[in-house]
């Protein structure tokens, strides 16, 4: 930026960056992630109860016994969300699982779906188009009803996958995996489980053994709330969006007619991707709606529409392998490597600078020198101007009241928070009964029995909806095991969490790690990143299936598979070599991407920064990453992985 004769464009960019910095500084807090408390650990009976499963059919589940205490299964999968299901499906498809009976799935939820089981709030849809997002559409032959599927359709699709791969009676629900230990003598994982059996019933503790243990515990699974003084004393109903309380609002997921809100003053806390979908629905039924905002989200156009069966046949599901082609086509527009034809053509494909957090093949590897990083970050900010200004102009074109419009404008670059999409949210603020309670970046101060306090003033409400998100996926340095809360022990009783804490992310290809044989995890750290999580999941599932399949071929039966220390350190080197690409995250407004600013805090010990950087993704985009994996897999030698025949 510091040129002798800056152009008008340079000056504009400079003042924009300054504005972004000012807005981010307003929100930076010394307490980082500890400003929040997980609902389950909130220490108040009232808040703890908000984490309970409202959906489980205990009577039906108590009649089933999908897992026998003490039994041994070839594959035990933690998590019945899309990742657990896709991993299971790819294992069956590749013939590695002799059949579905080789597989057992365990989840704390009462059914399949993960995210789509827990979240049933009105307005819920996938934000990536369903044709690219809904897993295994080719295998299940399913045509999504709409361009963006509803939460209900997404959950039903999880059930469809389970049925298609005959996994529907292979899952133990309402069951928490509490620990797992590699037993050297038997070459088996011993997995400890606590099965809840409904109100008033005793928890059943059981353990099973597995040749292979797969952890697919999700990224946004633990709902949390800000530690707002007095919150538990609020006298009206209160609930989190991840456990929508239809008994208070009226309606149900399939028909969210919320007649229970008639005549009520409803407050919603938070304005992230969830609130953008919920607010228009609440506004249809509440007498008065108060939207408490700390940071406005950038809201893009949506363009929802029904799927046209003719288009589906001829242009979307038009050949074998269409879904991966479509996923990568979408990805190309987000990684600044656009393909000639834009198959998806929605607002995602207008965000060239989103590559700042998922990487791009376009500029090669960025040298980690201050000059090169500065140049790279400047280029990204420049690339983002059109989009971020467009988002702000969109607010002006929709919201009638100028003061409200100004408060709804997002002052951060596109990559700092999950982009949101709605053709209704901004319009809602033109309604006389909808009130934007902007807190100028400070957040709600406290709660009273009757309402919330902002800037010293009490705003009385009858019902409070917490749309305050989840524990950050970056929690614990992107550790996939600490997120599940399980105690995982590998060879010689080595703790997975201690290894991750001491070394930072340490994996081979994001899916396995030394000292933990036959353990695989759905990745986040050290893997290809994509806006479409379902694409990431499928790429990982294929890779895991390949490794196990090849290992079994080599071993001539069940194998013991373990990444070597040399291979995982060399791989960490490859991740770090590319990590400078992601430097633009350093200027971000706090949010879960930066662990509420903890990741980007200035003045950190270089060793600590290095450890944190190891959790980066492969910063040359998903297609490049897949290319690297394919090259690795081509000769089938499993370089960097030791394989033995299991005892
Ligand atoms: P999850 O679906 O989270 O499943 C993990 C499961 O593991 C959970 O059911 C959990 O109960 C279980 N579990 C965790 N720990 C334990 C334990 N110790 N014992 C037993 N079970 C355990 N991504 C997109 O790409 N596009 C979207 O549109 C999109 N929309 C989203 C909307 C919402 C509201 C949220 C919260 C996330 C969204 N995401 C979206 C991200 C979404 O989480 C992923 O796309 C995907 O569904 C994750 O699947 P998963 O199987 O990895 O994890
Ligand atoms: P987020 O973490 O994105 O949002 C939480 C909200 O709560 C933010 O607006 C945050 O403000 C606000 N908040 C936190 N503390 C306070 C406070 N003390 N006072 C006032 N406001 C506060 O959670 P979401 O559930 O919205 O989304 C989580 C993720 O789930 C998304 O990013 C996305 O990945 C996924 N998702 C996808 C959807 C889709 O479209 N399919 C829908 C929903 C979620 P601040 O920003 O200042 O921290």
């Amino acid at each position: 930026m510091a040129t002798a004769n800056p152009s008008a464009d340079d000056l504009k960019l400079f003042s924009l960056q300054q504005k972004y910095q000012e807005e981010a500084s307003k929100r930076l807090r010394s307490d980082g992630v500890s400003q929040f408390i997980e609902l389950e650990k909130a220490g108040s009976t009232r808040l703890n109860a908000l984490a309970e499963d409202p959906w489980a059919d205990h009577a039906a589940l108590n009649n089933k016994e999908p897992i026998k205490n003490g039994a041994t299964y070839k594959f035990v999968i933690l998590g019945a969300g899309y990742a657990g299901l896709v991993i299971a499906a790819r294992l069956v498809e590749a013939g590695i699982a002799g059949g579905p009976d080789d597989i057992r799935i365990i989840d704390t939820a009462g059914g399949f779906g993960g995210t789509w089981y827990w979240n049933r709030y009105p307005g819920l849809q996938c934000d990536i188009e369903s044709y690219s997002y809904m897993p295994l559409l080719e295998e299940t032959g399913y045509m999504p009803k709409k361009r963006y599927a509803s939460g209900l359709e997404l959950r039903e699709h999880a059930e469809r996958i389970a049925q298609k791969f005959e996994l529907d009676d292979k899952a133990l629900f309402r069951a928490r995996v509490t620990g797992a230990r590699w037993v050297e003598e038997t070459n088996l994982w011993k997995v400890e489980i606590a099965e809840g059996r409904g109100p008033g019933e005793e928890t059943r503790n059981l353990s099973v053994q597995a040749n292979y243990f797969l952890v697919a515990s999700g990224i946004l699974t633990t709902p949390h709330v800000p530690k707002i003084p007095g919150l538990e004393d609020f006298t009206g109903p209160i609930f989190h969006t991840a456990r929508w309380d239809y008994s208070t609002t009226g309606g149900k997921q399939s028909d969210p007619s919320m007649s229970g809100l008639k005549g009520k003053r409803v407050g919603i806390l938070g304005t992230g991707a969830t609130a953008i979908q919920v607010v228009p629905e609440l506004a249809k039924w509440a007498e008065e709606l108060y939207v408490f905002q700390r940071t406005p989200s950038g809201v893009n156009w949506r363009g929802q529409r029904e799927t046209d069966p003719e288009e589906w046949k001829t242009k979307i599901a038009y050949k074998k392998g269409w879904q991966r082609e479509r996923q990568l086509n979408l990805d190309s527009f987000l990684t600044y490597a656009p393909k000639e034809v834009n198959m998806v053509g929605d607002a995602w494909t207008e965000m060239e600078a989103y590559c700042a957090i998922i990487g791009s093949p376009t500029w090669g590897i960025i040298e980690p020198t201050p000059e090169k990083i500065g140049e790279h970050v400047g280029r990204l900010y420049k690339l983002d101007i059109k989009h971020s200004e467009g988002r702000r102009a969109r607010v002006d074109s929709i919201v009638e009241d100028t003061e409200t419009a100004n408060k709804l404008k997002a002052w951060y670059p596109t990559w700092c928070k999950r982009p949101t999409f709605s053709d209704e949210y901004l319009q809602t603020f033109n309604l006389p009964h909808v009130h934007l309670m902007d807190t100028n970046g400070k957040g709600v101060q406290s709660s009273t029995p009757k309402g919330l306090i902002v800037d010293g003033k009490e705003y009385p409400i009858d019902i409070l909806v917490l749309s305050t998100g989840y524990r950050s996926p970056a929690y614990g340095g992107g550790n996939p095991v600490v997120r599940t809360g399980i105690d995982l022990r590998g060879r010689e009783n080595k703790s997975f969490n201690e290894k991750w804490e001491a070394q930072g992310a340490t994996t081979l290809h994001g899916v396995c790690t030394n000292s933990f044989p036959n353990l695989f995890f759905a990745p986040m750290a050290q893997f290809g990143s994509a806006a479409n999580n379902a694409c990431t999941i499928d790429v990982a599932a294929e890779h895991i299936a390949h490794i196990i399949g090849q290992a079994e071929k080599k071993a001539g039966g069940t194998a013991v598979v373990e990444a070597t220390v040399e291979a995982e350190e060399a791989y960490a080197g490859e991740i770090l070599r590319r990590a400078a690409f992601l430097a633009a995250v350093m200027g971000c407004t706090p949010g879960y991407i930066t662990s509420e600013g903890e990741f980007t805090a200035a003045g950190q010990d270089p060793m600590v920064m290095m450890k944190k950087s190891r959790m980066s993704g492969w910063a040359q985009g998903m297609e490049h990453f897949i290319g690297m994996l394919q090259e690795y897999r081509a000769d089938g030698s499993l370089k960097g992985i030791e394989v033995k025949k299991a005892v």
Side-chain angles (χ1 to χ4, degrees):
M1 276 306 299
T3 50
N5 291 308
S7 66
D9 277 355
D10 284 341
L11 288 172
K12 187 171 159 193
L13 182 59
F14 182 64
S15 72
L16 190 61
Q17 278 184 285
Q18 265 194 325
K19 170 75 175 161
Y20 286 166
Q21 211 44 62
E22 271 166 34
E23 292 291 330
S25 309
K26 258 191 223 171
R27 293 166 173 86
L28 262 177
R29 301 165 49 126
S30 56
D31 50 357
V33 285
S34 41
Q35 69 184 282
F36 294 103
I37 183 112
E38 294 158 34
L39 284 180
E40 282 175 15
K41 297 184 182 158
S44 105
T45 320
R46 179 153 197 227
L47 292 180
N48 293 158
L50 301 185
E52 280 167 15
D53 184 346
W55 322 116
D57 181 345
H58 296 291
L61 290 168
N62 282 345
N63 280 329
K64 296 182 178 163
E65 203 186 356
I67 283 189
K68 295 242 178 295
N69 190 17
T72 300
Y73 302 100
K74 186 165 180 186
F75 298 101
V76 167
I77 302 179
L78 182 163
Y82 279 175
L85 284 165
V86 175
I87 291 171
R90 294 293 179 214
L91 289 170
V92 172
E93 204 181 48
I96 306 158
D101 207 38
D102 273 355
I103 298 176
R104 289 297 182 277
I105 302 178
I106 303 165
D107 201 305
T108 47
F112 290 103
T115 291
W116 309 108
Y117 172 87
W118 293 112
N119 283 275
R120 302 191 187 193
Y121 60 78
L124 176 61
Q125 299 174 353
C126 49
D127 61 359
I128 298 287
E129 62 143 27
S130 37
Y131 318 142
S132 302
Y133 179 71
M134 293 172 79
L136 304 168
L137 286 179
E138 288 185 71
E139 291 76 358
T140 52
Y142 182 70
M143 180 187 85
K145 294 184 192 130
K146 290 187 178 172
R147 199 175 181 194
Y148 304 96
S150 70
L152 177 59
E153 192 176 356
L154 293 160
R155 178 161 59 82
E156 286 172 348
H157 188 60
E159 288 161 6
R160 180 175 300 109
I161 295 171
Q163 270 159 22
K164 164 83 190 170
F165 290 90
E166 297 173 35
L167 298 162
D168 38 346
D169 59 349
K170 306 288 182 291
L172 181 69
F173 292 122
R174 307 167 301 165
R176 181 172 297 281
V177 174
T178 53
R181 183 167 60 85
W182 174 252
V183 182
E184 200 62 66
E185 298 71 38
T186 54
N187 288 182
L188 292 169
W189 281 96
K190 186 156 192 264
V191 181
E192 305 294 339
I193 305 160
E195 184 198 9
R197 297 184 56 86
E201 297 283 330
E202 265 191 30
T203 300
R204 189 165 78 112
N205 293 314
L206 55 162
S207 78
V208 293
Q209 305 181 98
N211 297 107
Y212 302 95
F213 181 41
L214 300 117
V215 176
S217 54
I219 45 176
L220 295 160
T221 42
T222 312
H224 70 193
V225 279
K227 293 173 185 162
I228 294 178
L231 193 59
E232 56 273 29
D233 302 326
F234 177 72
T235 47
I238 178 171
F239 58 89
H240 192 280
T241 50
R243 310 281 189 271
W244 194 267
D245 181 2
Y246 283 106
S247 70
T248 292
T249 65
K252 53 187 181 212
Q253 190 182 21
S254 56
D255 173 18
S257 305
M258 294 185 280
S259 51
L261 301 185
K262 280 191 181 154
K264 297 280 196 268
R265 294 165 303 182
V266 178
I268 177 164
L269 181 59
T271 50
T274 297
I276 300 306
Q277 297 183 332
V278 170
V279 162
E281 300 300 317
L282 289 175
K284 287 178 194 161
W285 298 92
E287 179 81 15
E288 301 290 333
L289 178 63
Y290 294 86
V291 181
F292 293 91
Q293 169 178 278
R294 187 166 72 177
T295 307
S297 281
V299 189
N300 301 277
W301 62 276
R302 182 70 301 188
Q304 171 68 304
R305 59 168 188 253
E306 305 275 323
T307 304
D308 170 2
E310 195 47 34
E311 189 191 3
W312 174 258
K313 250 194 302 184
T314 56
K315 295 204 174 115
I316 301 171
Y318 74 110
K319 65 166 190 186
K320 193 168 181 326
W322 68 265
Q323 195 178 33
R324 177 60 61 77
E325 179 188 47
R326 200 170 173 93
Q327 290 173 340
L328 292 182
N329 185 278
L330 168 64
D331 195 59
S332 75
F333 289 87
L334 288 156
T335 52
Y336 200 57
K339 305 226 185 262
E340 236 166 75
V341 177
N342 186 345
M343 291 176 155
V344 175
D346 68 4
W348 274 110
T349 65
E350 297 167 352
M351 296 177 201
E352 297 169 307
Y354 193 75
C355 66
I357 53 162
I358 59 173
S360 166
T362 302
W363 301 299
I365 291 174
I366 306 300
E367 254 183 72
T369 61
E371 295 73 30
K372 293 289 177 197
I373 290 179
E375 205 177 277
H376 171 65
V377 170
R379 186 165 50 203
L380 288 167
Y381 272 90
K382 216 175 221 165
L383 201 58
D384 190 47
I385 291 185
K386 185 167 157 232
H387 184 256
S388 60
E389 288 200 332
R391 278 184 327 195
R392 289 186 285 273
R394 184 164 186 261
V395 181
D396 283 328
S397 71
I398 294 173
V399 178
E400 289 153 12
D401 175 63
T402 310
E403 201 187 326
T404 308
N406 284 336
K407 288 177 179 163
L408 285 166
K409 288 179 190 163
W411 291 104
Y412 55 81
T414 303
W415 57 80
C416 289
K417 283 184 184 281
R418 181 81 175 177
T420 71
F421 307 84
S422 176
D423 294 332
E424 294 168 83
Y425 177 76
L426 293 171
Q427 290 79 349
T428 304
F429 292 94
N430 292 332
L431 300 171
H433 69 294
V434 178
H435 315 285
L436 179 65
M437 311 310 302
D438 183 56
T439 63
N440 192 22
K442 294 190 186 70
V444 162
Q445 268 174 299
S446 57
S447 174
T448 67
K450 294 200 171 333
L452 297 181
I453 306 260
V454 174
D455 224 1
K457 187 167 174 220
E458 184 189 60
Y459 294 89
I461 48 178
D462 303 308
I463 297 168
L464 177 58
V465 180
L466 300 168
S467 186
T468 50
Y470 304 84
R471 187 165 61 190
S472 163
Y475 176 82
N479 175 342
V481 165
V482 81
R483 280 206 297 276
T484 69
I486 73 177
D487 182 19
L488 191 83
R489 305 272 163 174
R491 286 197 199 282
E492 292 159 16
N493 206 31
K494 188 163 184 163
S495 149
F496 189 98
N497 293 345
E498 281 168 19
K499 176 176 176 182
W500 203 280
E501 210 177 305
Q503 298 178 208
T506 305
T507 73
L508 184 63
H509 304 155
V511 297
C512 56
T513 188
N514 177 265
S515 297
F516 297 84
N518 291 8
L519 171 79
F520 294 88
F521 30 91
M524 192 207 66
Q526 299 195 340
F527 201 73
S529 314
N532 179 359
N533 286 294
C535 177
T536 311
I537 286 170
D538 199 26
V539 174
E542 279 173 3
H543 195 54
I544 292 169
H546 169 86
I547 295 176
I548 300 176
Q550 275 309 115
E552 295 212 332
K553 263 192 213 152
K554 275 183 155 191
T558 305
V560 176
V561 191
E562 186 178 4
T564 65
V565 170
E566 296 72 30
E568 62 188 19
E569 279 313 313
Y571 183 66
E574 290 300 317
I575 292 294
L576 287 171
R577 208 157 70 80
R578 289 167 174 79
F581 190 99
L582 309 171
V585 82
M586 298 305 283
C588 274
T589 186
Y592 71 77
I593 291 176
T594 62
S595 266
E596 305 302 328
E598 286 186 2
F599 186 78
T600 51
Q604 295 183 68
D605 181 300
M607 279 314 287
V608 173
M609 276 315 281
M610 166 79 94
K611 259 203 255 176
K612 288 184 176 175
S613 301
R614 283 169 72 112
M615 74 176 246
S616 304
W618 184 267
Q620 284 181 283
M622 184 56 95
E623 192 157 16
H624 191 275
F625 180 72
I626 293 173
M628 182 279 288
L629 290 184
Q630 282 170 345
E631 210 172 290
Y632 170 85
R633 297 200 290 248
D635 69 359
S637 68
L638 295 184
K639 195 165 164 250
I641 296 182
E642 272 180 9
V643 176
K644 290 187 202 130
K645 190 163 173 32
V647 292

